[in-house]
mmCIF file of all heavy atoms in Angstrom:
data_model
loop_
_atom_site.group_PDB
_atom_site.id
_atom_site.type_symbol
_atom_site.label_atom_id
_atom_site.label_comp_id
_atom_site.label_asym_id
_atom_site.label_seq_id
_atom_site.Cartn_x
_atom_site.Cartn_y
_atom_site.Cartn_z
ATOM 1 N N VAL A 24 -112.447 -90.627 -20.213
ATOM 2 C CA VAL A 24 -112.895 -89.442 -19.495
ATOM 3 C C VAL A 24 -114.388 -89.133 -19.885
ATOM 4 O O VAL A 24 -115.221 -88.819 -19.039
ATOM 5 C CB VAL A 24 -111.945 -88.316 -19.676
ATOM 6 C CG1 VAL A 24 -112.469 -87.015 -19.024
ATOM 7 C CG2 VAL A 24 -110.535 -88.579 -19.039
ATOM 8 N N LEU A 25 -114.540 -89.104 -21.179
ATOM 9 C CA LEU A 25 -115.923 -88.796 -21.655
ATOM 10 C C LEU A 25 -116.972 -89.770 -21.174
ATOM 11 O O LEU A 25 -118.068 -89.476 -20.848
ATOM 12 C CB LEU A 25 -115.934 -88.695 -23.186
ATOM 13 C CG LEU A 25 -115.222 -87.516 -23.796
ATOM 14 C CD1 LEU A 25 -115.103 -87.695 -25.304
ATOM 15 C CD2 LEU A 25 -115.968 -86.179 -23.466
ATOM 16 N N ASP A 26 -116.530 -91.086 -21.142
ATOM 17 C CA ASP A 26 -117.398 -92.103 -20.642
ATOM 18 C C ASP A 26 -117.755 -91.859 -19.155
ATOM 19 O O ASP A 26 -118.905 -92.038 -18.682
ATOM 20 C CB ASP A 26 -116.855 -93.528 -20.760
ATOM 21 C CG ASP A 26 -116.767 -93.963 -22.190
ATOM 22 O OD1 ASP A 26 -117.476 -93.412 -23.034
ATOM 23 O OD2 ASP A 26 -116.016 -94.966 -22.451
ATOM 24 N N ASN A 27 -116.782 -91.402 -18.382
ATOM 25 C CA ASN A 27 -116.927 -91.132 -16.960
ATOM 26 C C ASN A 27 -117.911 -89.921 -16.891
ATOM 27 O O ASN A 27 -118.777 -89.955 -16.002
ATOM 28 C CB ASN A 27 -115.653 -90.856 -16.300
ATOM 29 C CG ASN A 27 -115.680 -90.574 -14.853
ATOM 30 O OD1 ASN A 27 -116.030 -89.451 -14.387
ATOM 31 N ND2 ASN A 27 -115.436 -91.578 -14.023
ATOM 32 N N LEU A 28 -117.742 -88.882 -17.688
ATOM 33 C CA LEU A 28 -118.572 -87.720 -17.635
ATOM 34 C C LEU A 28 -120.026 -88.135 -17.955
ATOM 35 O O LEU A 28 -120.945 -87.592 -17.335
ATOM 36 C CB LEU A 28 -118.016 -86.616 -18.530
ATOM 37 C CG LEU A 28 -116.709 -86.059 -18.266
ATOM 38 C CD1 LEU A 28 -116.396 -84.951 -19.279
ATOM 39 C CD2 LEU A 28 -116.645 -85.473 -16.849
ATOM 40 N N ALA A 29 -120.181 -89.008 -18.985
ATOM 41 C CA ALA A 29 -121.562 -89.382 -19.342
ATOM 42 C C ALA A 29 -122.217 -90.118 -18.192
ATOM 43 O O ALA A 29 -123.464 -90.054 -18.088
ATOM 44 C CB ALA A 29 -121.437 -90.370 -20.570
ATOM 45 N N TYR A 30 -121.504 -90.789 -17.410
ATOM 46 C CA TYR A 30 -122.034 -91.558 -16.206
ATOM 47 C C TYR A 30 -122.406 -90.534 -15.136
ATOM 48 O O TYR A 30 -123.538 -90.605 -14.505
ATOM 49 C CB TYR A 30 -121.065 -92.588 -15.677
ATOM 50 C CG TYR A 30 -121.426 -93.226 -14.415
ATOM 51 C CD1 TYR A 30 -122.409 -94.169 -14.299
ATOM 52 C CD2 TYR A 30 -120.839 -92.797 -13.187
ATOM 53 C CE1 TYR A 30 -122.805 -94.725 -13.110
ATOM 54 C CE2 TYR A 30 -121.188 -93.438 -12.032
ATOM 55 C CZ TYR A 30 -122.120 -94.386 -11.933
ATOM 56 O OH TYR A 30 -122.548 -94.889 -10.761
ATOM 57 N N ARG A 31 -121.500 -89.630 -14.851
ATOM 58 C CA ARG A 31 -121.714 -88.648 -13.725
ATOM 59 C C ARG A 31 -122.674 -87.543 -14.118
ATOM 60 O O ARG A 31 -123.308 -86.963 -13.176
ATOM 61 C CB ARG A 31 -120.406 -88.110 -13.313
ATOM 62 C CG ARG A 31 -119.450 -89.164 -12.809
ATOM 63 C CD ARG A 31 -117.997 -88.701 -12.675
ATOM 64 N NE ARG A 31 -117.823 -87.819 -11.525
ATOM 65 C CZ ARG A 31 -116.633 -87.469 -11.084
ATOM 66 N NH1 ARG A 31 -115.524 -87.889 -11.696
ATOM 67 N NH2 ARG A 31 -116.475 -86.653 -10.031
ATOM 68 N N PHE A 32 -122.768 -87.195 -15.424
ATOM 69 C CA PHE A 32 -123.594 -86.130 -15.856
ATOM 70 C C PHE A 32 -124.560 -86.644 -16.871
ATOM 71 O O PHE A 32 -124.636 -86.211 -17.994
ATOM 72 C CB PHE A 32 -122.806 -84.961 -16.378
ATOM 73 C CG PHE A 32 -121.941 -84.271 -15.389
ATOM 74 C CD1 PHE A 32 -120.645 -84.641 -15.232
ATOM 75 C CD2 PHE A 32 -122.437 -83.178 -14.682
ATOM 76 C CE1 PHE A 32 -119.787 -84.022 -14.337
ATOM 77 C CE2 PHE A 32 -121.648 -82.581 -13.733
ATOM 78 C CZ PHE A 32 -120.309 -82.981 -13.587
ATOM 79 N N GLU A 33 -125.313 -87.697 -16.464
ATOM 80 C CA GLU A 33 -126.240 -88.342 -17.417
ATOM 81 C C GLU A 33 -127.166 -87.395 -18.075
ATOM 82 O O GLU A 33 -127.517 -87.484 -19.248
ATOM 83 C CB GLU A 33 -126.958 -89.521 -16.811
ATOM 84 C CG GLU A 33 -127.764 -90.306 -17.790
ATOM 85 C CD GLU A 33 -128.536 -91.539 -17.082
ATOM 86 O OE1 GLU A 33 -128.493 -91.562 -15.811
ATOM 87 O OE2 GLU A 33 -128.989 -92.364 -17.844
ATOM 88 N N TYR A 34 -127.676 -86.462 -17.307
ATOM 89 C CA TYR A 34 -128.696 -85.545 -17.809
ATOM 90 C C TYR A 34 -128.149 -84.576 -18.904
ATOM 91 O O TYR A 34 -128.905 -83.915 -19.555
ATOM 92 C CB TYR A 34 -129.317 -84.686 -16.641
ATOM 93 C CG TYR A 34 -128.339 -83.701 -16.054
ATOM 94 C CD1 TYR A 34 -128.415 -82.363 -16.416
ATOM 95 C CD2 TYR A 34 -127.425 -84.081 -15.042
ATOM 96 C CE1 TYR A 34 -127.504 -81.410 -15.850
ATOM 97 C CE2 TYR A 34 -126.611 -83.164 -14.533
ATOM 98 C CZ TYR A 34 -126.599 -81.841 -14.915
ATOM 99 O OH TYR A 34 -125.740 -80.935 -14.356
ATOM 100 N N ILE A 35 -126.831 -84.468 -18.966
ATOM 101 C CA ILE A 35 -126.206 -83.693 -20.012
ATOM 102 C C ILE A 35 -125.823 -84.564 -21.289
ATOM 103 O O ILE A 35 -126.128 -84.164 -22.357
ATOM 104 C CB ILE A 35 -124.884 -83.038 -19.466
ATOM 105 C CG1 ILE A 35 -125.232 -82.026 -18.391
ATOM 106 C CG2 ILE A 35 -124.127 -82.411 -20.635
ATOM 107 C CD1 ILE A 35 -123.962 -81.425 -17.740
ATOM 108 N N PHE A 36 -125.374 -85.746 -21.070
ATOM 109 C CA PHE A 36 -124.763 -86.542 -22.090
ATOM 110 C C PHE A 36 -125.807 -87.501 -22.716
ATOM 111 O O PHE A 36 -125.565 -87.991 -23.853
ATOM 112 C CB PHE A 36 -123.565 -87.296 -21.654
ATOM 113 C CG PHE A 36 -122.352 -86.411 -21.436
ATOM 114 C CD1 PHE A 36 -122.219 -85.616 -20.255
ATOM 115 C CD2 PHE A 36 -121.395 -86.319 -22.363
ATOM 116 C CE1 PHE A 36 -121.091 -84.858 -20.099
ATOM 117 C CE2 PHE A 36 -120.268 -85.543 -22.243
ATOM 118 C CZ PHE A 36 -120.157 -84.797 -21.092
ATOM 119 N N ASN A 37 -126.851 -87.929 -21.986
ATOM 120 C CA ASN A 37 -127.793 -88.864 -22.459
ATOM 121 C C ASN A 37 -129.011 -88.162 -23.062
ATOM 122 O O ASN A 37 -129.740 -87.525 -22.328
ATOM 123 C CB ASN A 37 -128.228 -89.808 -21.337
ATOM 124 C CG ASN A 37 -129.083 -90.964 -21.816
ATOM 125 O OD1 ASN A 37 -129.685 -90.916 -22.857
ATOM 126 N ND2 ASN A 37 -129.174 -91.989 -21.035
ATOM 127 N N ASP A 38 -129.212 -88.236 -24.363
ATOM 128 C CA ASP A 38 -130.317 -87.598 -25.055
ATOM 129 C C ASP A 38 -131.660 -88.045 -24.519
ATOM 130 O O ASP A 38 -132.702 -87.359 -24.733
ATOM 131 C CB ASP A 38 -130.176 -87.713 -26.565
ATOM 132 C CG ASP A 38 -129.064 -86.974 -27.094
ATOM 133 O OD1 ASP A 38 -128.644 -85.994 -26.461
ATOM 134 O OD2 ASP A 38 -128.562 -87.334 -28.171
ATOM 135 N N ASN A 39 -131.711 -89.284 -23.925
ATOM 136 C CA ASN A 39 -133.020 -89.819 -23.489
ATOM 137 C C ASN A 39 -133.288 -89.333 -22.031
ATOM 138 O O ASN A 39 -134.348 -89.688 -21.501
ATOM 139 C CB ASN A 39 -132.921 -91.352 -23.495
ATOM 140 C CG ASN A 39 -132.843 -91.847 -24.916
ATOM 141 O OD1 ASN A 39 -133.409 -91.309 -25.854
ATOM 142 N ND2 ASN A 39 -131.982 -92.843 -25.113
ATOM 143 N N TYR A 40 -132.383 -88.630 -21.431
ATOM 144 C CA TYR A 40 -132.565 -88.226 -20.065
ATOM 145 C C TYR A 40 -132.341 -86.738 -19.888
ATOM 146 O O TYR A 40 -131.861 -86.323 -18.757
ATOM 147 C CB TYR A 40 -131.622 -89.024 -19.154
ATOM 148 C CG TYR A 40 -131.831 -88.943 -17.697
ATOM 149 C CD1 TYR A 40 -133.009 -89.391 -17.089
ATOM 150 C CD2 TYR A 40 -130.866 -88.415 -16.847
ATOM 151 C CE1 TYR A 40 -133.243 -89.265 -15.774
ATOM 152 C CE2 TYR A 40 -131.058 -88.303 -15.512
ATOM 153 C CZ TYR A 40 -132.278 -88.675 -14.950
ATOM 154 O OH TYR A 40 -132.493 -88.646 -13.590
ATOM 155 N N LYS A 41 -132.602 -85.924 -20.844
ATOM 156 C CA LYS A 41 -132.409 -84.537 -20.748
ATOM 157 C C LYS A 41 -133.537 -83.816 -20.092
ATOM 158 O O LYS A 41 -134.734 -84.139 -20.278
ATOM 159 C CB LYS A 41 -132.069 -83.978 -22.104
ATOM 160 C CG LYS A 41 -130.656 -84.127 -22.548
ATOM 161 C CD LYS A 41 -130.414 -83.247 -23.834
ATOM 162 C CE LYS A 41 -128.961 -83.407 -24.247
ATOM 163 N NZ LYS A 41 -128.017 -82.755 -23.340
ATOM 164 N N TYR A 42 -133.219 -82.733 -19.374
ATOM 165 C CA TYR A 42 -134.347 -81.856 -18.929
ATOM 166 C C TYR A 42 -134.152 -80.545 -19.600
ATOM 167 O O TYR A 42 -133.065 -80.203 -20.028
ATOM 168 C CB TYR A 42 -134.371 -81.739 -17.407
ATOM 169 C CG TYR A 42 -133.149 -81.083 -16.751
ATOM 170 C CD1 TYR A 42 -132.993 -79.697 -16.790
ATOM 171 C CD2 TYR A 42 -132.268 -81.815 -16.090
ATOM 172 C CE1 TYR A 42 -131.920 -79.029 -16.240
ATOM 173 C CE2 TYR A 42 -131.148 -81.182 -15.442
ATOM 174 C CZ TYR A 42 -131.065 -79.793 -15.564
ATOM 175 O OH TYR A 42 -129.941 -79.175 -14.937
ATOM 176 N N PRO A 43 -135.189 -79.735 -19.732
ATOM 177 C CA PRO A 43 -135.121 -78.478 -20.436
ATOM 178 C C PRO A 43 -134.048 -77.565 -19.840
ATOM 179 O O PRO A 43 -134.050 -77.403 -18.601
ATOM 180 C CB PRO A 43 -136.507 -77.874 -20.288
ATOM 181 C CG PRO A 43 -137.381 -79.063 -20.132
ATOM 182 C CD PRO A 43 -136.602 -80.047 -19.343
ATOM 183 N N GLY A 44 -133.181 -77.055 -20.585
ATOM 184 C CA GLY A 44 -132.153 -76.115 -20.088
ATOM 185 C C GLY A 44 -130.844 -76.809 -19.832
ATOM 186 O O GLY A 44 -129.863 -76.090 -19.464
ATOM 187 N N ALA A 45 -130.811 -78.103 -19.859
ATOM 188 C CA ALA A 45 -129.520 -78.850 -19.612
ATOM 189 C C ALA A 45 -128.493 -78.377 -20.658
ATOM 190 O O ALA A 45 -128.869 -78.146 -21.815
ATOM 191 C CB ALA A 45 -129.738 -80.321 -19.699
ATOM 192 N N PRO A 46 -127.175 -78.292 -20.255
ATOM 193 C CA PRO A 46 -126.189 -77.959 -21.243
ATOM 194 C C PRO A 46 -126.149 -78.959 -22.397
ATOM 195 O O PRO A 46 -126.462 -80.119 -22.276
ATOM 196 C CB PRO A 46 -124.878 -78.052 -20.435
ATOM 197 C CG PRO A 46 -125.328 -77.975 -19.035
ATOM 198 C CD PRO A 46 -126.693 -78.547 -18.940
ATOM 199 N N LYS A 47 -125.814 -78.391 -23.554
ATOM 200 C CA LYS A 47 -125.615 -79.207 -24.787
ATOM 201 C C LYS A 47 -124.106 -79.277 -25.056
ATOM 202 O O LYS A 47 -123.387 -78.273 -25.056
ATOM 203 C CB LYS A 47 -126.372 -78.657 -25.961
ATOM 204 C CG LYS A 47 -127.815 -78.635 -25.730
ATOM 205 C CD LYS A 47 -128.519 -78.044 -26.989
ATOM 206 C CE LYS A 47 -130.043 -78.004 -26.829
ATOM 207 N NZ LYS A 47 -130.719 -77.422 -27.994
ATOM 208 N N VAL A 48 -123.661 -80.474 -25.247
ATOM 209 C CA VAL A 48 -122.210 -80.699 -25.503
ATOM 210 C C VAL A 48 -121.993 -81.570 -26.734
ATOM 211 O O VAL A 48 -122.817 -82.350 -27.088
ATOM 212 C CB VAL A 48 -121.458 -81.295 -24.243
ATOM 213 C CG1 VAL A 48 -121.591 -80.359 -23.036
ATOM 214 C CG2 VAL A 48 -121.968 -82.706 -23.978
ATOM 215 N N ILE A 49 -120.824 -81.361 -27.332
ATOM 216 C CA ILE A 49 -120.340 -82.237 -28.429
ATOM 217 C C ILE A 49 -119.174 -82.999 -27.895
ATOM 218 O O ILE A 49 -118.176 -82.397 -27.425
ATOM 219 C CB ILE A 49 -119.951 -81.424 -29.656
ATOM 220 C CG1 ILE A 49 -121.135 -80.609 -30.156
ATOM 221 C CG2 ILE A 49 -119.439 -82.334 -30.734
ATOM 222 C CD1 ILE A 49 -120.779 -79.577 -31.243
ATOM 223 N N GLN A 50 -119.176 -84.281 -27.841
ATOM 224 C CA GLN A 50 -118.130 -85.157 -27.391
ATOM 225 C C GLN A 50 -117.110 -85.267 -28.479
ATOM 226 O O GLN A 50 -117.294 -85.761 -29.571
ATOM 227 C CB GLN A 50 -118.574 -86.534 -26.964
ATOM 228 C CG GLN A 50 -119.691 -86.453 -25.836
ATOM 229 C CD GLN A 50 -120.035 -87.821 -25.378
ATOM 230 O OE1 GLN A 50 -119.167 -88.606 -25.029
ATOM 231 N NE2 GLN A 50 -121.367 -88.091 -25.433
ATOM 232 N N GLU A 51 -115.832 -84.773 -28.161
ATOM 233 C CA GLU A 51 -114.737 -84.803 -29.055
ATOM 234 C C GLU A 51 -113.675 -85.712 -28.459
ATOM 235 O O GLU A 51 -112.975 -85.290 -27.538
ATOM 236 C CB GLU A 51 -114.124 -83.495 -29.343
ATOM 237 C CG GLU A 51 -115.154 -82.482 -30.048
ATOM 238 C CD GLU A 51 -115.255 -82.719 -31.500
ATOM 239 O OE1 GLU A 51 -114.651 -83.707 -32.016
ATOM 240 O OE2 GLU A 51 -116.020 -81.989 -32.147
ATOM 241 N N VAL A 52 -113.593 -86.948 -28.937
ATOM 242 C CA VAL A 52 -112.542 -87.914 -28.369
ATOM 243 C C VAL A 52 -111.198 -87.558 -28.944
ATOM 244 O O VAL A 52 -111.010 -87.453 -30.132
ATOM 245 C CB VAL A 52 -112.908 -89.359 -28.755
ATOM 246 C CG1 VAL A 52 -111.861 -90.326 -28.258
ATOM 247 C CG2 VAL A 52 -114.305 -89.708 -28.233
ATOM 248 N N ILE A 53 -110.227 -87.370 -28.033
ATOM 249 C CA ILE A 53 -108.901 -87.164 -28.439
ATOM 250 C C ILE A 53 -107.948 -88.334 -27.938
ATOM 251 O O ILE A 53 -108.211 -88.938 -26.945
ATOM 252 C CB ILE A 53 -108.345 -85.784 -27.933
ATOM 253 C CG1 ILE A 53 -108.446 -85.668 -26.403
ATOM 254 C CG2 ILE A 53 -109.109 -84.687 -28.651
ATOM 255 C CD1 ILE A 53 -107.856 -84.398 -25.868
ATOM 256 N N GLU A 54 -106.977 -88.556 -28.718
ATOM 257 C CA GLU A 54 -105.945 -89.556 -28.376
ATOM 258 C C GLU A 54 -104.612 -88.919 -28.163
ATOM 259 O O GLU A 54 -104.497 -87.672 -28.309
ATOM 260 C CB GLU A 54 -105.943 -90.649 -29.455
ATOM 261 C CG GLU A 54 -107.246 -91.334 -29.630
ATOM 262 C CD GLU A 54 -107.266 -92.334 -30.810
ATOM 263 O OE1 GLU A 54 -106.275 -92.276 -31.602
ATOM 264 O OE2 GLU A 54 -108.205 -93.153 -30.950
ATOM 265 N N ASN A 55 -103.620 -89.702 -27.891
ATOM 266 C CA ASN A 55 -102.294 -89.211 -27.693
ATOM 267 C C ASN A 55 -101.611 -88.885 -28.960
ATOM 268 O O ASN A 55 -100.564 -89.521 -29.357
ATOM 269 C CB ASN A 55 -101.474 -90.133 -26.816
ATOM 270 C CG ASN A 55 -100.164 -89.471 -26.317
ATOM 271 O OD1 ASN A 55 -100.019 -88.284 -26.436
ATOM 272 N ND2 ASN A 55 -99.323 -90.236 -25.754
ATOM 273 N N LYS A 56 -102.208 -87.968 -29.747
ATOM 274 C CA LYS A 56 -101.598 -87.527 -30.971
ATOM 275 C C LYS A 56 -102.122 -86.131 -31.254
ATOM 276 O O LYS A 56 -103.200 -85.752 -30.784
ATOM 277 C CB LYS A 56 -101.901 -88.450 -32.207
ATOM 278 C CG LYS A 56 -103.332 -88.705 -32.392
ATOM 279 C CD LYS A 56 -103.579 -89.702 -33.471
ATOM 280 C CE LYS A 56 -105.089 -89.916 -33.776
ATOM 281 N NZ LYS A 56 -105.274 -90.936 -34.878
ATOM 282 N N PRO A 57 -101.366 -85.326 -32.010
ATOM 283 C CA PRO A 57 -101.718 -83.934 -32.245
ATOM 284 C C PRO A 57 -103.053 -83.800 -32.930
ATOM 285 O O PRO A 57 -103.424 -84.601 -33.789
ATOM 286 C CB PRO A 57 -100.545 -83.375 -33.137
ATOM 287 C CG PRO A 57 -99.419 -84.283 -32.791
ATOM 288 C CD PRO A 57 -100.000 -85.654 -32.671
ATOM 289 N N PHE A 58 -103.753 -82.734 -32.676
ATOM 290 C CA PHE A 58 -104.957 -82.256 -33.350
ATOM 291 C C PHE A 58 -104.950 -80.802 -33.496
ATOM 292 O O PHE A 58 -104.103 -80.062 -32.866
ATOM 293 C CB PHE A 58 -106.196 -82.801 -32.668
ATOM 294 C CG PHE A 58 -106.403 -82.312 -31.274
ATOM 295 C CD1 PHE A 58 -107.283 -81.273 -31.010
ATOM 296 C CD2 PHE A 58 -105.763 -82.911 -30.147
ATOM 297 C CE1 PHE A 58 -107.505 -80.767 -29.735
ATOM 298 C CE2 PHE A 58 -105.940 -82.394 -28.913
ATOM 299 C CZ PHE A 58 -106.824 -81.348 -28.665
ATOM 300 N N THR A 59 -105.838 -80.263 -34.333
ATOM 301 C CA THR A 59 -105.802 -78.828 -34.596
ATOM 302 C C THR A 59 -107.116 -78.152 -34.202
ATOM 303 O O THR A 59 -108.183 -78.735 -34.391
ATOM 304 C CB THR A 59 -105.546 -78.609 -36.096
ATOM 305 O OG1 THR A 59 -104.349 -79.163 -36.484
ATOM 306 C CG2 THR A 59 -105.582 -77.080 -36.382
ATOM 307 N N LEU A 60 -106.991 -77.080 -33.502
ATOM 308 C CA LEU A 60 -108.162 -76.205 -33.218
ATOM 309 C C LEU A 60 -107.899 -74.816 -33.781
ATOM 310 O O LEU A 60 -106.933 -74.089 -33.367
ATOM 311 C CB LEU A 60 -108.303 -76.056 -31.650
ATOM 312 C CG LEU A 60 -108.675 -77.352 -30.891
ATOM 313 C CD1 LEU A 60 -108.718 -77.067 -29.389
ATOM 314 C CD2 LEU A 60 -110.060 -77.897 -31.349
ATOM 315 N N LYS A 61 -108.683 -74.376 -34.761
ATOM 316 C CA LYS A 61 -108.590 -73.022 -35.298
ATOM 317 C C LYS A 61 -107.197 -72.660 -35.690
ATOM 318 O O LYS A 61 -106.603 -71.655 -35.210
ATOM 319 C CB LYS A 61 -109.197 -72.020 -34.323
ATOM 320 C CG LYS A 61 -110.600 -72.333 -33.871
ATOM 321 C CD LYS A 61 -111.623 -72.295 -35.030
ATOM 322 C CE LYS A 61 -113.042 -72.501 -34.433
ATOM 323 N NZ LYS A 61 -114.069 -72.443 -35.504
ATOM 324 N N ASN A 62 -106.549 -73.449 -36.486
ATOM 325 C CA ASN A 62 -105.223 -73.195 -37.025
ATOM 326 C C ASN A 62 -104.075 -73.350 -35.989
ATOM 327 O O ASN A 62 -102.892 -73.019 -36.266
ATOM 328 C CB ASN A 62 -105.081 -71.772 -37.643
ATOM 329 C CG ASN A 62 -106.075 -71.610 -38.744
ATOM 330 O OD1 ASN A 62 -106.292 -72.456 -39.604
ATOM 331 N ND2 ASN A 62 -106.813 -70.485 -38.711
ATOM 332 N N LEU A 63 -104.362 -73.873 -34.815
ATOM 333 C CA LEU A 63 -103.369 -74.052 -33.757
ATOM 334 C C LEU A 63 -103.227 -75.572 -33.508
ATOM 335 O O LEU A 63 -104.211 -76.228 -33.169
ATOM 336 C CB LEU A 63 -103.766 -73.293 -32.472
ATOM 337 C CG LEU A 63 -102.737 -73.423 -31.337
ATOM 338 C CD1 LEU A 63 -101.419 -72.751 -31.689
ATOM 339 C CD2 LEU A 63 -103.326 -72.789 -30.092
ATOM 340 N N GLU A 64 -102.020 -76.037 -33.560
ATOM 341 C CA GLU A 64 -101.805 -77.484 -33.303
ATOM 342 C C GLU A 64 -101.714 -77.658 -31.770
ATOM 343 O O GLU A 64 -101.056 -76.944 -31.011
ATOM 344 C CB GLU A 64 -100.492 -77.948 -33.934
ATOM 345 C CG GLU A 64 -100.229 -79.448 -33.657
ATOM 346 C CD GLU A 64 -98.955 -79.951 -34.274
ATOM 347 O OE1 GLU A 64 -97.877 -79.409 -33.836
ATOM 348 O OE2 GLU A 64 -98.969 -80.870 -35.095
ATOM 349 N N ILE A 65 -102.501 -78.611 -31.293
ATOM 350 C CA ILE A 65 -102.565 -79.033 -29.920
ATOM 351 C C ILE A 65 -101.873 -80.336 -29.811
ATOM 352 O O ILE A 65 -102.271 -81.320 -30.380
ATOM 353 C CB ILE A 65 -103.981 -79.080 -29.346
ATOM 354 C CG1 ILE A 65 -104.849 -77.893 -29.793
ATOM 355 C CG2 ILE A 65 -103.958 -79.242 -27.805
ATOM 356 C CD1 ILE A 65 -104.378 -76.538 -29.307
#
């Protein structure tokens, strides 16, 4: 999904193709196993 977003929103995900004011994101890859956000298991 993140790879698809990087293709469709290159100006957001590609640091070499950013324009001023573009959203900044951190890509967090998740797999089919639990992870924790702020003390809550997801």
